[in-house]
Amino acid sequence: MKKYNLIYLIIAALLGATSCNDDFLTNLPETVVSAGDFYKTESDYAQAIIGVYQPVRSLYNTGLAGYGAWAMGEMRSDNTTFSYNVSNRGYADREYVDLFIDDSNGGSTSNKYNNNYIIIGRANQILSQIDDAEISEASKNNYKGQALFLRAFAHFDLVQYFGDVPLMTEPATSYEETLKNRTPRAEVLAQIVADAALAAELLPAKDAQSAGYVANGAAYTLLGNAYLVMEDWANAEAALKNVTGYSLLSDYAAIFNPGNKNNAEMIFEVQFTDDPTAGAASNWAYNFLPILTNPGVIPGFPSGSTNNYAGWNTPTPDLLAEYEDGDLRLDASIGFYTGEGYVDRPYVKKYVHGAQIAPNTNNDWPVYRYAEVVLMLAEALNEQGETGDALTYLNMVHAHARTGLSELSLSSQSELREAIMKERQIELAFENKRWLDLVRWGTAVEVINAQGAKIKANPQAYYYPEGVSPINEAYNVTSDRLLFPIPERELRLNPDMVQNPGY
Protein backbone atom coordinates (compact mmCIF):
# COMPACT_ATOMS: atom_id res chain seq x y z
CA MET A 1 0.00 0.00 0.00
CA LYS A 2 2.88 2.33 0.79
CA LYS A 3 4.23 1.75 -2.74
CA TYR A 4 0.98 2.97 -4.35
CA ASN A 5 0.77 5.98 -2.02
CA LEU A 6 4.30 6.95 -3.15
CA ILE A 7 3.27 6.78 -6.80
CA TYR A 8 0.24 8.97 -6.16
CA LEU A 9 2.41 11.51 -4.33
CA ILE A 10 4.85 11.67 -7.26
CA ILE A 11 1.99 12.15 -9.75
CA ALA A 12 0.45 14.84 -7.57
CA ALA A 13 3.78 16.63 -7.29
CA LEU A 14 4.22 16.57 -11.08
CA LEU A 15 0.69 17.85 -11.66
CA GLY A 16 1.27 20.59 -9.14
CA ALA A 17 4.47 21.60 -10.85
CA THR A 18 2.67 21.65 -14.19
CA SER A 19 -0.10 23.89 -12.86
CA CYS A 20 2.48 26.36 -11.56
CA ASN A 21 4.49 26.36 -14.76
CA ASP A 22 2.59 26.20 -18.03
CA ASP A 23 5.88 25.76 -19.94
CA PHE A 24 6.78 22.50 -18.18
CA LEU A 25 5.87 20.36 -21.22
CA THR A 26 7.03 22.83 -23.86
CA ASN A 27 10.43 23.92 -22.57
CA LEU A 28 13.32 22.45 -24.50
CA PRO A 29 15.94 20.46 -22.57
CA GLU A 30 18.96 22.55 -21.59
CA THR A 31 21.11 20.62 -24.06
CA VAL A 32 18.87 21.58 -27.03
CA VAL A 33 19.01 24.90 -28.88
CA SER A 34 15.93 26.01 -30.80
CA ALA A 35 16.29 27.13 -34.40
CA GLY A 36 15.24 30.64 -33.42
CA ASP A 37 18.03 30.89 -30.86
CA PHE A 38 20.70 29.10 -32.89
CA TYR A 39 20.86 30.97 -36.20
CA LYS A 40 22.47 34.16 -34.93
CA THR A 41 26.24 34.34 -35.44
CA GLU A 42 28.51 33.56 -38.35
CA SER A 43 29.82 30.60 -36.34
CA ASP A 44 26.25 29.27 -36.11
CA TYR A 45 25.87 29.35 -39.88
CA ALA A 46 29.31 27.82 -40.40
CA GLN A 47 28.26 24.87 -38.22
CA ALA A 48 24.83 24.65 -39.82
CA ILE A 49 26.18 24.44 -43.38
CA ILE A 50 28.48 21.59 -42.35
CA GLY A 51 25.35 19.88 -41.05
CA VAL A 52 23.79 20.10 -44.52
CA TYR A 53 26.81 18.45 -46.12
CA GLN A 54 26.91 15.60 -43.59
CA PRO A 55 24.01 13.53 -45.02
CA VAL A 56 25.56 13.88 -48.49
CA ARG A 57 28.23 11.52 -47.16
CA SER A 58 25.50 9.08 -46.18
CA LEU A 59 24.19 9.10 -49.74
CA TYR A 60 27.46 7.73 -51.04
CA ASN A 61 28.86 5.77 -48.12
CA THR A 62 26.78 4.09 -45.45
CA GLY A 63 29.09 1.43 -44.06
CA LEU A 64 30.03 -1.98 -45.33
CA ALA A 65 26.53 -3.34 -44.81
CA GLY A 66 24.88 -0.11 -45.98
CA TYR A 67 23.50 1.13 -49.26
CA GLY A 68 25.67 3.57 -51.17
CA ALA A 69 24.42 5.42 -54.24
CA TRP A 70 26.49 3.14 -56.48
CA ALA A 71 23.86 0.37 -56.24
CA MET A 72 21.25 2.51 -57.98
CA GLY A 73 23.54 4.62 -60.15
CA GLU A 74 26.00 2.04 -61.42
CA MET A 75 24.88 -1.55 -60.70
CA ARG A 76 21.45 -0.78 -62.15
CA SER A 77 23.21 -0.13 -65.46
CA ASP A 78 25.20 -2.33 -67.84
CA ASN A 79 28.50 -1.09 -66.38
CA THR A 80 28.64 -3.27 -63.28
CA THR A 81 27.01 -6.20 -61.53
CA PHE A 82 27.78 -8.27 -58.42
CA SER A 83 29.85 -11.32 -57.65
CA TYR A 84 27.36 -13.93 -56.46
CA ASN A 85 28.35 -14.69 -52.86
CA VAL A 86 27.42 -18.26 -51.96
CA SER A 87 28.57 -17.97 -48.34
CA ASN A 88 26.98 -14.60 -47.55
CA ARG A 89 23.43 -14.03 -48.73
CA GLY A 90 22.77 -11.16 -46.31
CA TYR A 91 22.84 -8.28 -48.79
CA ALA A 92 20.12 -9.39 -51.20
CA ASP A 93 18.68 -5.89 -51.59
CA ARG A 94 21.66 -4.75 -53.64
CA GLU A 95 21.28 -7.80 -55.84
CA TYR A 96 17.59 -7.06 -56.33
CA VAL A 97 18.43 -3.57 -57.62
CA ASP A 98 20.80 -5.07 -60.17
CA LEU A 99 18.34 -7.82 -61.14
CA PHE A 100 15.37 -5.42 -61.46
CA ILE A 101 13.32 -7.33 -58.91
CA ASP A 102 13.58 -4.71 -56.14
CA ASP A 103 10.53 -3.44 -54.31
CA SER A 104 9.48 -0.57 -52.04
CA ASN A 105 11.10 -2.15 -48.95
CA GLY A 106 14.64 -1.90 -50.30
CA GLY A 107 17.39 -0.28 -48.27
CA SER A 108 19.05 1.41 -51.25
CA THR A 109 15.96 3.40 -52.19
CA SER A 110 15.22 4.29 -48.56
CA ASN A 111 18.78 5.50 -48.04
CA LYS A 112 18.62 7.78 -51.06
CA TYR A 113 15.13 9.09 -50.32
CA ASN A 114 15.73 9.68 -46.60
CA ASN A 115 19.11 11.37 -46.83
CA ASN A 116 18.06 13.67 -49.64
CA TYR A 117 15.14 14.93 -47.56
CA ILE A 118 17.44 15.38 -44.56
CA ILE A 119 19.63 17.57 -46.77
CA ILE A 120 16.60 19.52 -47.96
CA GLY A 121 15.25 19.97 -44.44
CA ARG A 122 18.53 21.28 -43.09
CA ALA A 123 19.03 23.59 -46.07
CA ASN A 124 15.52 24.97 -45.59
CA GLN A 125 16.26 25.82 -41.97
CA ILE A 126 19.23 27.94 -43.05
CA LEU A 127 17.35 29.58 -45.91
CA SER A 128 14.42 30.48 -43.67
CA GLN A 129 16.68 32.43 -41.30
CA ILE A 130 19.66 33.77 -43.18
CA ASP A 131 18.17 36.86 -44.84
CA ASP A 132 17.69 38.39 -41.39
CA ALA A 133 21.09 37.32 -40.08
CA GLU A 134 23.41 40.06 -38.83
CA ILE A 135 26.53 38.73 -40.54
CA SER A 136 28.65 40.10 -43.37
CA GLU A 137 27.04 40.23 -46.79
CA ALA A 138 29.79 38.09 -48.29
CA SER A 139 29.28 35.35 -45.69
CA LYS A 140 25.51 35.58 -46.02
CA ASN A 141 25.73 35.11 -49.80
CA ASN A 142 28.15 32.22 -49.42
CA TYR A 143 26.08 30.27 -46.90
CA LYS A 144 22.86 31.00 -48.72
CA GLY A 145 24.39 29.92 -52.03
CA GLN A 146 25.62 26.66 -50.56
CA ALA A 147 22.25 25.90 -48.98
CA LEU A 148 20.46 26.64 -52.27
CA PHE A 149 22.88 24.42 -54.18
CA LEU A 150 22.47 21.53 -51.76
CA ARG A 151 18.67 21.84 -51.76
CA ALA A 152 18.66 21.84 -55.55
CA PHE A 153 21.14 18.95 -55.66
CA ALA A 154 19.00 16.80 -53.36
CA HIS A 155 15.77 17.55 -55.24
CA PHE A 156 17.57 16.79 -58.52
CA ASP A 157 18.76 13.43 -57.23
CA LEU A 158 15.24 12.60 -56.08
CA VAL A 159 13.43 13.65 -59.23
CA GLN A 160 15.77 11.65 -61.48
CA TYR A 161 15.36 8.42 -59.52
CA PHE A 162 11.75 8.68 -58.31
CA GLY A 163 9.99 11.05 -60.75
CA ASP A 164 7.34 13.19 -59.05
CA VAL A 165 8.45 13.84 -55.46
CA PRO A 166 7.32 16.19 -52.69
CA LEU A 167 8.84 19.63 -53.27
CA MET A 168 9.93 21.10 -49.94
CA THR A 169 11.03 24.75 -49.82
CA GLU A 170 10.05 25.69 -46.25
CA PRO A 171 10.91 24.09 -42.91
CA ALA A 172 8.10 21.89 -41.63
CA THR A 173 6.64 23.28 -38.39
CA SER A 174 4.20 20.44 -37.73
CA TYR A 175 3.86 16.74 -38.40
CA GLU A 176 1.07 17.44 -40.88
CA GLU A 177 3.37 19.66 -42.96
CA THR A 178 5.75 16.76 -43.47
CA LEU A 179 3.01 14.71 -45.14
CA LYS A 180 3.25 16.50 -48.44
CA ASN A 181 2.12 14.70 -51.58
CA ARG A 182 4.12 14.33 -54.76
CA THR A 183 4.78 17.41 -56.87
CA PRO A 184 4.83 17.08 -60.67
CA ARG A 185 8.34 16.53 -62.02
CA ALA A 186 8.23 19.69 -64.14
CA GLU A 187 7.56 21.85 -61.06
CA VAL A 188 10.38 20.23 -59.14
CA LEU A 189 12.76 20.79 -62.04
CA ALA A 190 11.68 24.43 -62.27
CA GLN A 191 12.56 24.92 -58.59
CA ILE A 192 15.90 23.17 -59.10
CA VAL A 193 16.70 25.56 -61.93
CA ALA A 194 15.70 28.58 -59.83
CA ASP A 195 17.74 27.41 -56.82
CA ALA A 196 20.82 26.53 -58.86
CA ALA A 197 20.70 29.79 -60.82
CA LEU A 198 20.49 31.89 -57.65
CA ALA A 199 23.21 29.81 -56.01
CA ALA A 200 25.47 30.49 -59.00
CA GLU A 201 24.95 34.24 -58.54
CA LEU A 202 25.65 34.14 -54.80
CA LEU A 203 28.56 31.72 -54.54
CA PRO A 204 32.18 32.79 -54.95
CA ALA A 205 34.47 31.35 -57.61
CA LYS A 206 36.58 28.28 -56.88
CA ASP A 207 39.73 30.24 -56.03
CA ALA A 208 37.81 32.33 -53.47
CA GLN A 209 36.01 29.41 -51.79
CA SER A 210 37.35 27.24 -48.98
CA ALA A 211 38.41 23.80 -50.16
CA GLY A 212 35.69 21.19 -49.82
CA TYR A 213 32.79 23.64 -50.11
CA VAL A 214 30.92 24.18 -53.37
CA ALA A 215 31.75 27.25 -55.46
CA ASN A 216 29.77 28.86 -58.28
CA GLY A 217 31.15 26.31 -60.76
CA ALA A 218 29.22 23.57 -58.97
CA ALA A 219 26.00 25.56 -59.19
CA TYR A 220 26.47 26.25 -62.91
CA THR A 221 27.25 22.55 -63.46
CA LEU A 222 24.09 21.47 -61.65
CA LEU A 223 22.10 24.05 -63.60
CA GLY A 224 23.53 22.79 -66.89
CA ASN A 225 22.86 19.20 -65.89
CA ALA A 226 19.23 20.02 -65.08
CA TYR A 227 18.76 21.74 -68.43
CA LEU A 228 20.33 18.72 -70.14
CA VAL A 229 17.78 16.41 -68.49
CA MET A 230 15.05 18.82 -69.59
CA GLU A 231 16.52 18.78 -73.13
CA ASP A 232 16.82 22.55 -73.03
CA TRP A 233 20.06 22.47 -74.98
CA ALA A 234 20.63 26.20 -75.42
CA ASN A 235 20.26 26.99 -71.72
CA ALA A 236 22.42 23.98 -70.87
CA GLU A 237 25.16 25.35 -73.10
CA ALA A 238 24.91 28.82 -71.57
CA ALA A 239 25.11 27.50 -68.01
CA LEU A 240 27.98 25.13 -68.66
CA LYS A 241 30.07 27.78 -70.40
CA ASN A 242 30.03 29.67 -67.09
CA VAL A 243 31.97 26.86 -65.40
CA THR A 244 35.42 28.43 -65.31
CA GLY A 245 38.57 28.05 -63.25
CA TYR A 246 38.84 24.27 -63.72
CA SER A 247 40.99 22.10 -65.98
CA LEU A 248 41.61 18.47 -66.91
CA LEU A 249 44.47 16.79 -65.06
CA SER A 250 47.23 15.23 -67.15
CA ASP A 251 47.06 11.94 -65.21
CA TYR A 252 43.65 10.26 -65.02
CA ALA A 253 44.48 8.22 -61.93
CA ALA A 254 45.61 11.35 -60.07
CA ILE A 255 42.09 12.77 -60.17
CA PHE A 256 40.91 10.24 -57.59
CA ASN A 257 44.03 10.01 -55.44
CA PRO A 258 43.29 11.02 -51.82
CA GLY A 259 46.60 12.87 -51.77
CA ASN A 260 45.22 15.16 -54.47
CA LYS A 261 41.81 16.10 -53.08
CA ASN A 262 39.91 19.12 -54.39
CA ASN A 263 42.19 19.30 -57.41
CA ALA A 264 41.79 21.48 -60.48
CA GLU A 265 39.36 19.05 -62.15
CA MET A 266 37.06 18.47 -59.18
CA ILE A 267 33.96 20.66 -59.10
CA PHE A 268 32.03 18.86 -56.35
CA GLU A 269 33.42 15.94 -54.38
CA VAL A 270 32.00 14.46 -51.19
CA GLN A 271 34.59 14.83 -48.44
CA PHE A 272 35.77 11.90 -46.31
CA THR A 273 38.70 11.37 -43.98
CA ASP A 274 40.29 8.25 -42.52
CA ASP A 275 41.21 10.04 -39.30
CA PRO A 276 40.18 7.39 -36.75
CA THR A 277 38.76 10.03 -34.40
CA ALA A 278 36.51 11.68 -37.02
CA GLY A 279 34.09 8.88 -37.83
CA ALA A 280 33.99 10.06 -41.44
CA ALA A 281 36.00 7.45 -43.32
CA SER A 282 34.94 6.02 -46.67
CA ASN A 283 34.91 2.29 -47.33
CA TRP A 284 33.45 1.55 -50.77
CA ALA A 285 36.91 0.56 -52.07
CA TYR A 286 36.58 -2.55 -49.89
CA ASN A 287 33.04 -3.20 -51.14
CA PHE A 288 34.26 -3.15 -54.72
CA LEU A 289 37.10 -5.67 -54.29
CA PRO A 290 36.68 -9.37 -55.06
CA ILE A 291 35.58 -11.43 -52.06
CA LEU A 292 38.87 -12.37 -50.39
CA THR A 293 39.99 -14.23 -47.28
CA ASN A 294 42.64 -11.52 -46.93
CA PRO A 295 42.16 -8.15 -48.70
CA GLY A 296 45.83 -7.49 -47.99
CA VAL A 297 46.68 -9.30 -51.22
CA ILE A 298 45.64 -6.07 -52.95
CA PRO A 299 48.59 -3.64 -52.69
CA GLY A 300 48.10 -0.95 -50.07
CA PHE A 301 45.47 -2.71 -48.00
CA PRO A 302 46.48 -4.11 -44.60
CA SER A 303 46.41 -7.86 -44.09
CA GLY A 304 43.63 -9.02 -41.87
CA SER A 305 40.13 -10.41 -41.78
CA THR A 306 38.08 -11.45 -44.76
CA ASN A 307 36.01 -8.98 -46.76
CA ASN A 308 33.14 -11.42 -47.16
CA TYR A 309 30.85 -8.40 -47.62
CA ALA A 310 32.57 -7.46 -50.91
CA GLY A 311 32.15 -8.37 -54.58
CA TRP A 312 29.90 -5.40 -55.43
CA ASN A 313 30.01 -3.05 -58.40
CA THR A 314 32.04 -5.56 -60.39
CA PRO A 315 32.82 -4.33 -63.94
CA THR A 316 30.92 -6.31 -66.58
CA PRO A 317 32.35 -7.87 -69.72
CA ASP A 318 30.15 -5.42 -71.63
CA LEU A 319 31.97 -2.42 -70.12
CA LEU A 320 35.40 -3.96 -70.62
CA ALA A 321 34.61 -4.43 -74.31
CA GLU A 322 33.89 -0.71 -74.70
CA TYR A 323 37.47 0.37 -73.92
CA GLU A 324 39.55 1.07 -77.01
CA ASP A 325 42.96 -0.52 -77.36
CA GLY A 326 45.54 1.71 -75.74
CA ASP A 327 43.09 3.70 -73.59
CA LEU A 328 45.13 4.52 -70.48
CA ARG A 329 41.96 5.00 -68.45
CA LEU A 330 41.40 1.24 -68.39
CA ASP A 331 44.38 0.54 -66.14
CA ALA A 332 43.52 3.52 -63.93
CA SER A 333 39.90 2.41 -63.57
CA ILE A 334 39.87 -1.39 -63.46
CA GLY A 335 42.18 -3.92 -61.83
CA PHE A 336 42.32 -7.67 -62.37
CA TYR A 337 43.00 -10.20 -59.61
CA THR A 338 44.16 -13.77 -59.97
CA GLY A 339 44.22 -15.99 -56.90
CA GLU A 340 41.86 -17.64 -54.39
CA GLY A 341 40.03 -19.28 -57.27
CA TYR A 342 39.83 -16.13 -59.41
CA VAL A 343 41.39 -15.70 -62.82
CA ASP A 344 41.59 -12.08 -63.92
CA ARG A 345 38.54 -11.13 -61.88
CA PRO A 346 37.92 -7.41 -62.63
CA TYR A 347 37.33 -4.94 -59.82
CA VAL A 348 36.99 -1.17 -59.55
CA LYS A 349 40.55 0.13 -59.17
CA LYS A 350 39.67 3.81 -59.45
CA TYR A 351 39.23 4.09 -55.67
CA VAL A 352 41.93 1.63 -54.57
CA HIS A 353 44.46 3.69 -52.63
CA GLY A 354 45.07 1.50 -49.62
CA ALA A 355 44.14 1.96 -45.98
CA GLN A 356 45.84 2.33 -42.64
CA ILE A 357 43.10 0.65 -40.60
CA ALA A 358 40.76 -1.72 -42.40
CA PRO A 359 38.21 -0.94 -43.75
CA ASN A 360 38.64 2.84 -43.38
CA THR A 361 39.83 4.63 -46.50
CA ASN A 362 40.48 8.27 -47.31
CA ASN A 363 38.74 8.41 -50.69
CA ASP A 364 36.39 11.24 -51.60
CA TRP A 365 33.49 10.58 -53.97
CA PRO A 366 33.55 12.53 -57.27
CA VAL A 367 30.12 14.00 -58.04
CA TYR A 368 30.98 16.59 -60.69
CA ARG A 369 34.26 16.84 -62.58
CA TYR A 370 35.30 19.28 -65.30
CA ALA A 371 35.53 16.39 -67.78
CA GLU A 372 31.79 15.88 -67.40
CA VAL A 373 31.14 19.57 -68.00
CA VAL A 374 33.09 19.33 -71.27
CA LEU A 375 31.12 16.26 -72.35
CA MET A 376 27.81 17.88 -71.41
CA LEU A 377 28.78 20.85 -73.54
CA ALA A 378 29.56 18.51 -76.42
CA GLU A 379 26.12 16.94 -76.05
CA ALA A 380 24.26 20.25 -75.80
CA LEU A 381 26.02 21.62 -78.87
CA ASN A 382 25.49 18.45 -80.90
CA GLU A 383 21.77 18.41 -80.14
CA GLN A 384 21.60 21.97 -81.50
CA GLY A 385 23.26 20.82 -84.73
CA GLU A 386 26.60 22.46 -83.97
CA THR A 387 28.57 19.33 -84.76
CA GLY A 388 31.93 21.04 -85.36
CA ASP A 389 32.03 22.67 -81.94
CA ALA A 390 30.62 19.51 -80.35
CA LEU A 391 33.44 17.45 -81.82
CA THR A 392 36.00 19.91 -80.47
CA TYR A 393 34.67 19.50 -76.94
CA LEU A 394 34.43 15.72 -77.31
CA ASN A 395 38.06 15.49 -78.38
CA MET A 396 39.14 17.64 -75.44
CA VAL A 397 38.34 14.59 -73.31
CA HIS A 398 38.74 11.68 -75.73
CA ALA A 399 42.10 12.74 -77.18
CA HIS A 400 43.58 14.29 -74.04
CA ALA A 401 47.15 13.21 -73.31
CA ARG A 402 45.92 11.22 -70.31
CA THR A 403 43.91 8.81 -72.50
CA GLY A 404 46.60 7.96 -75.07
CA LEU A 405 43.97 8.10 -77.82
CA SER A 406 43.88 9.97 -81.11
CA GLU A 407 41.31 12.56 -82.12
CA LEU A 408 38.01 11.37 -83.50
CA SER A 409 36.90 12.51 -86.94
CA LEU A 410 33.11 12.49 -87.16
CA SER A 411 30.70 14.68 -89.06
CA SER A 412 27.11 13.52 -88.59
CA GLN A 413 24.99 14.38 -85.59
CA SER A 414 24.05 10.72 -85.02
CA GLU A 415 27.68 9.56 -85.10
CA LEU A 416 28.64 12.25 -82.63
CA ARG A 417 25.74 11.36 -80.37
CA GLU A 418 26.92 7.75 -80.19
CA ALA A 419 30.51 8.82 -79.59
CA ILE A 420 29.50 11.17 -76.76
CA MET A 421 27.46 8.41 -75.14
CA LYS A 422 30.41 6.02 -75.28
CA GLU A 423 32.82 8.65 -74.00
CA ARG A 424 30.63 9.32 -70.98
CA GLN A 425 30.47 5.59 -70.26
CA ILE A 426 34.27 5.28 -70.20
CA GLU A 427 35.31 8.63 -68.73
CA LEU A 428 32.71 8.60 -65.94
CA ALA A 429 32.69 4.86 -65.20
CA PHE A 430 31.90 4.04 -61.54
CA GLU A 431 30.80 7.60 -60.77
CA ASN A 432 27.04 6.85 -60.74
CA LYS A 433 26.30 8.42 -64.12
CA ARG A 434 25.57 5.46 -66.38
CA TRP A 435 22.04 4.48 -65.26
CA LEU A 436 20.72 8.03 -65.39
CA ASP A 437 22.32 8.48 -68.82
CA LEU A 438 20.60 5.37 -70.19
CA VAL A 439 17.27 6.59 -68.82
CA ARG A 440 17.46 10.09 -70.26
CA TRP A 441 18.69 8.81 -73.62
CA GLY A 442 15.73 6.43 -73.80
CA THR A 443 17.93 3.35 -74.23
CA ALA A 444 17.74 1.76 -70.76
CA VAL A 445 15.06 -0.86 -71.51
CA GLU A 446 16.77 -2.05 -74.69
CA VAL A 447 20.30 -2.08 -73.26
CA ILE A 448 19.47 -3.87 -70.00
CA ASN A 449 17.18 -6.47 -71.57
CA ALA A 450 19.90 -7.30 -74.09
CA GLN A 451 22.47 -7.62 -71.33
CA GLY A 452 20.06 -9.66 -69.21
CA ALA A 453 19.64 -12.16 -72.05
CA LYS A 454 23.42 -12.58 -72.20
CA ILE A 455 23.67 -13.08 -68.43
CA LYS A 456 20.97 -15.76 -68.46
CA ALA A 457 22.61 -17.48 -71.43
CA ASN A 458 26.05 -17.54 -69.79
CA PRO A 459 25.86 -16.76 -66.04
CA GLN A 460 29.47 -17.79 -65.40
CA ALA A 461 30.71 -15.00 -67.68
CA TYR A 462 28.98 -12.64 -65.25
CA TYR A 463 30.54 -14.07 -62.07
CA TYR A 464 27.95 -16.69 -61.11
CA PRO A 465 29.38 -19.95 -59.71
CA GLU A 466 28.87 -23.14 -61.66
CA GLY A 467 25.30 -24.32 -61.27
CA VAL A 468 23.95 -20.92 -60.20
CA SER A 469 22.06 -18.50 -62.45
CA PRO A 470 19.68 -15.55 -62.05
CA ILE A 471 16.00 -16.32 -61.56
CA ASN A 472 13.70 -16.15 -64.58
CA GLU A 473 12.06 -12.95 -63.30
CA ALA A 474 15.39 -11.08 -63.39
CA TYR A 475 16.21 -8.50 -66.08
CA ASN A 476 12.67 -8.40 -67.48
CA VAL A 477 12.82 -4.63 -67.76
CA THR A 478 9.84 -2.49 -68.72
CA SER A 479 9.42 1.27 -68.74
CA ASP A 480 7.96 1.07 -65.23
CA ARG A 481 11.43 0.17 -63.97
CA LEU A 482 12.97 3.41 -65.19
CA LEU A 483 11.94 4.90 -61.85
CA PHE A 484 12.50 3.42 -58.41
CA PRO A 485 9.68 2.82 -55.93
CA ILE A 486 8.71 5.35 -53.30
CA PRO A 487 9.84 3.71 -50.02
CA GLU A 488 7.11 1.72 -48.28
CA ARG A 489 7.53 3.71 -45.07
CA GLU A 490 6.53 6.91 -46.87
CA LEU A 491 3.35 5.26 -48.17
CA ARG A 492 2.41 4.08 -44.70
CA LEU A 493 3.02 7.45 -43.10
CA ASN A 494 1.07 9.25 -45.81
CA PRO A 495 -1.84 7.18 -47.20
CA ASP A 496 -2.40 9.81 -49.91
CA MET A 497 1.06 9.20 -51.38
CA VAL A 498 0.79 7.35 -54.70
CA GLN A 499 3.32 4.66 -55.62
CA ASN A 500 5.11 4.57 -58.96
CA PRO A 501 3.54 2.19 -61.51
CA GLY A 502 4.83 -1.38 -61.49
CA TYR A 503 5.61 -1.64 -57.76
Side-chain angles (χ1 to χ4, degrees):
M1 188 68 181
K2 289 182 179 179
K3 178 176 70 172
Y4 294 110
N5 285 339
L6 178 60
I7 294 173
Y8 294 145
L9 286 171
I10 292 171
I11 293 172
L14 290 174
L15 290 173
T18 305
S19 65
C20 295
N21 183 359
D22 292 336
D23 295 331
F24 177 77
L25 297 178
T26 57
N27 278 347
L28 291 168
E30 292 183 4
T31 55
V32 174
V33 181
S34 70
D37 293 331
F38 177 76
Y39 294 98
K40 300 292 186 184
T41 68
E42 186 158 333
S43 175
D44 292 342
Y45 282 97
Q47 292 178 63
I49 203 67
I50 291 172
V52 188
Y53 282 98
Q54 187 277 328
V56 181
R57 286 207 303 266
S58 297
L59 277 175
Y60 293 89
N61 184 66
T62 55
L64 298 173
Y67 305 93
W70 44 267
M72 295 168 67
E74 206 72 41
M75 279 178 48
R76 189 77 155 187
S77 78
D78 55 335
N79 270 4
T80 67
T81 185
F82 59 92
S83 298
Y84 188 92
N85 192 334
V86 175
S87 63
N88 189 346
R89 307 300 300 139
Y91 304 121
D93 172 70
R94 299 173 185 173
E95 295 183 10
Y96 296 164
V97 170
D98 181 273
L99 296 167
F100 287 81
I101 56 173
D102 52 310
D103 60 28
S104 59
N105 293 298
S108 297
T109 50
S110 292
N111 178 66
K112 182 176 285 293
Y113 196 93
N114 296 348
N115 280 295
N116 273 313
Y117 276 111
I118 293 171
I119 295 166
I120 291 166
R122 293 181 180 180
N124 281 339
Q125 283 289 349
I126 292 175
L127 293 168
S128 70
Q129 306 274 344
I130 197 165
D131 285 339
D132 296 326
E134 295 181 1
I135 61 177
S136 71
E137 198 67 19
S139 294
K140 184 181 294 187
N141 288 343
N142 197 343
Y143 295 132
K144 184 174 182 178
Q146 290 182 69
L148 284 164
F149 169 85
L150 290 164
R151 183 171 77 179
F153 172 78
H155 276 123
F156 190 48
D157 198 39
L158 288 164
V159 82
Q160 290 181 97
Y161 283 97
F162 299 102
D164 299 348
V165 291
L167 176 64
M168 308 294 286
T169 57
E170 298 289 341
T173 59
S174 68
Y175 175 73
E176 288 72 21
E177 289 182 13
T178 68
L179 302 180
K180 192 170 182 179
N181 291 329
R182 301 174 70 173
T183 306
R185 177 178 181 269
E187 290 183 33
V188 181
L189 284 167
Q191 185 65 51
I192 291 164
V193 166
D195 282 354
L198 182 53
E201 293 178 16
L202 295 172
L203 285 168
K206 177 182 172 69
D207 59 1
Q209 181 65 293
S210 298
Y213 296 90
V214 292
N216 62 6
Y220 281 121
T221 302
L222 174 58
L223 182 60
N225 196 173
Y227 279 131
L228 213 67
V229 167
M230 298 163 68
E231 298 186 353
D232 186 341
W233 311 115
N235 275 321
E237 176 192 353
L240 295 164
K241 283 184 174 177
N242 280 315
V243 182
T244 58
Y246 303 88
S247 60
L248 302 180
L249 297 196
S250 59
D251 179 358
Y252 186 78
I255 303 168
F256 314 100
N257 192 316
N260 196 25
K261 293 188 177 194
N262 304 303
N263 57 65
E265 184 161 337
M266 286 294 191
I267 296 172
F268 179 34
E269 63 183 283
V270 186
Q271 310 287 306
F272 293 87
T273 175
D274 61 355
D275 183 334
T277 65
S282 54
N283 52 47
W284 56 79
Y286 274 86
N287 275 292
F288 301 166
L289 292 178
I291 303 162
L292 301 165
T293 57
N294 177 18
V297 298
I298 305 295
F301 289 113
S303 295
S305 61
T306 177
N307 67 342
N308 198 31
Y309 47 76
W312 302 102
N313 223 21
T314 305
T316 61
D318 309 77
L319 174 62
L320 293 171
E322 291 297 322
Y323 281 88
E324 295 179 47
D325 291 341
D327 192 334
L328 301 176
R329 292 172 295 186
L330 174 59
D331 183 63
S333 301
I334 301 173
F336 297 87
Y337 176 71
T338 297
E340 297 195 23
Y342 298 114
V343 178
D344 285 336
R345 173 59 60 89
Y347 63 89
V348 176
K349 183 181 175 184
K350 181 177 279 190
Y351 306 112
V352 170
H353 302 103
Q356 296 296 316
I357 303 172
N360 298 328
T361 66
N362 195 27
N363 295 300
D364 287 355
W365 188 277
V367 178
Y368 282 131
R369 298 192 281 118
Y370 188 61
E372 184 175 10
V373 170
V374 174
L375 292 176
M376 288 195 288
L377 268 169
E379 185 175 350
L381 288 162
N382 187 56
E383 295 304 325
Q384 295 177 82
E386 299 177 35
T387 55
D389 288 343
L391 180 61
T392 297
Y393 279 105
L394 173 59
N395 277 324
M396 284 174 61
V397 175
H398 180 82
H400 195 275
R402 71 190 192 188
T403 71
L405 301 175
S406 301
E407 287 193 352
L408 296 170
S409 180
L410 304 167
S411 57
S412 77
Q413 186 184 50
S414 60
E415 287 179 323
L416 268 171
R417 184 179 293 119
E418 290 295 322
I420 291 167
M421 289 176 176
K422 179 176 179 178
E423 197 66 30
R424 283 186 62 91
Q425 183 179 18
I426 298 300
E427 175 67 28
L428 305 173
F430 320 125
E431 297 177 40
N432 300 344
K433 306 293 179 177
R434 181 63 175 170
W435 170 249
L436 294 180
D437 280 350
L438 292 176
V439 171
R440 69 185 182 84
W441 291 331
T443 59
V445 173
E446 177 186 356
V447 168
I448 302 302
N449 278 325
Q451 185 191 56
K454 289 188 289 184
I455 295 172
K456 290 178 179 179
N458 187 3
Q460 282 64 58
Y462 290 83
Y463 321 121
Y464 282 85
E466 288 290 338
V468 179
S469 61
I471 61 175
N472 289 333
E473 291 80 7
Y475 302 115
N476 296 325
V477 185
T478 66
S479 59
D480 286 344
R481 289 280 165 168
L482 300 181
L483 295 176
F484 283 83
I486 300 295
E488 185 65 26
R489 187 193 67 176
E490 300 301 316
L491 301 176
R492 292 181 179 181
L493 289 172
N494 183 3
D496 293 330
M497 181 80 77
V498 178
Q499 181 60 278
N500 281 325
Y503 293 98

